[in-house]
Amino acid sequence: MSIAQVEHILVVPTAEFRNLGYFQGFSPDAPRYLKHLLQPALISFRPRPEMEEDPSFKQLIPYVIFEYVDADGEAWVFQYVRGKGQGESRLHSKRSVGVGGHISSEDAAEHLSGNPYEEGMRRELDEEVEIGCEYEIECVGLINDDQNPVGQVHLGVVHRCRVVQPAVRPRESEIIEAGFVPVSQLLEELDRCETWSSICLQALYG
C-alpha cells in the first residue's frame, strides 16, 4: 500500500482525555469531554496503522445503538456479529450492539459541514445499515476500556438511536446474524458480546 492509500483517522491526545477526568468503563458526561476534545487545535488525522499501536492517542469512534420499544414497553436493541472481513480483526465473531467506525480525513473535506465527527458518523451509518423508519438520535455517553489492546487506542462515543419500528437492516455482507433482540436476552448473554457492547448494555439497561 502506498502512502497515499493509507487511511488517516481522527485522533486526540490521550493525555487530554485523562486531564479531563479518567474513567474506566462508561461515563454519561459526554458533552463535557467532547466540547474540549473536539476543538480543532486538539484533533488531528494520522495514519491508521500507526494509531492502532500507539496508546498516546485515542481514536474517537461513534458507537450508535438502535433501540426499539414495543407495544408492551419492552426494549429491543439491534445486534449483529462481525464477519471476518469487517473492520477490527480483534473483534471478529463477537456480538455487537454498536454501529459506527473511524472518522476519516475525508470527512473533513472543505465541501462538507465543517464538523468531521458528525460527517463521519453519518457516513458510517449510511455505509453499514439501512434505516427504514423515523428515528431520533442522541449522544448518551463515552466508553473507555484500557484493559485490552483494542480499548487502549480507542474512545467510544455512544449514541442511542430510537427507531419507531424495528426497521434497521445491514448494508454490508460482513454484518451477519443481524436483527433486534430483547434487551433482557442480551443482558443474559453478555459473555457473547464484545467488551464495548457489554459495557453499554450494563450502563444503559442493566
Side-chain angles (χ1 to χ4, degrees), residues 71-194:
D72 296 323
E74 183 172 15
W76 296 58
V77 164
F78 180 79
Q79 56 81 53
Y80 62 95
V81 173
R82 298 178 187 272
K84 293 185 178 180
Q86 198 207 31
E88 173 56 69
S89 62
R90 293 169 287 189
L91 300 179
H92 291 165
S93 301
K94 291 286 190 177
R95 177 184 283 184
S96 177
V97 299
V99 175
H102 295 85
I103 308 301
S104 168
S105 57
E106 296 178 358
D107 299 316
E110 291 183 2
H111 67 282
L112 300 176
S113 68
N115 187 328
Y117 178 83
E118 290 289 339
E119 292 285 352
M121 180 177 70
R122 298 292 178 183
R123 173 185 53 75
E124 284 287 344
L125 289 180
D126 288 343
E127 290 176 356
E128 296 193 11
V129 295
E130 175 187 348
I131 308 172
C133 63
E134 294 183 2
Y135 63 89
E136 293 183 353
I137 190 169
E138 63 174 332
C139 184
V140 294
L142 297 178
I143 316 168
N144 183 64
D145 177 27
D146 287 332
Q147 296 182 347
N148 62 77
V150 180
Q152 288 171 7
V153 294
H154 295 88
L155 183 64
V157 184
V158 184
H159 301 262
R160 177 162 27 204
C161 184
R162 292 187 170 93
V163 292
V164 298
Q165 300 174 13
V168 179
R169 302 174 183 85
R171 293 185 188 271
E172 294 187 352
S173 60
E174 294 299 333
I175 297 178
I176 59 178
E177 302 177 30
F180 281 83
V181 171
V183 167
S184 57
Q185 178 181 332
L186 291 170
L187 288 172
E188 292 175 355
E189 301 173 351
L190 291 177
D191 58 331
R192 296 181 55 195
C193 294
E194 65 185 26

Side-chain angles (χ1 to χ4, degrees), residues 9-44:
I9 55 174
L10 187 150
V11 296
V12 296
T14 301
E16 293 289 340
F17 159 65
R18 287 178 172 269
N19 288 340
L20 291 169
Y22 179 79
F23 66 90
Q24 166 67 29
F26 185 89
S27 169
D29 199 13
R32 181 175 67 86
Y33 283 87
L34 295 178
K35 181 179 180 180
H36 180 75
L37 294 176
L38 287 174
Q39 293 181 84
L42 293 183
I43 66 172
S44 59

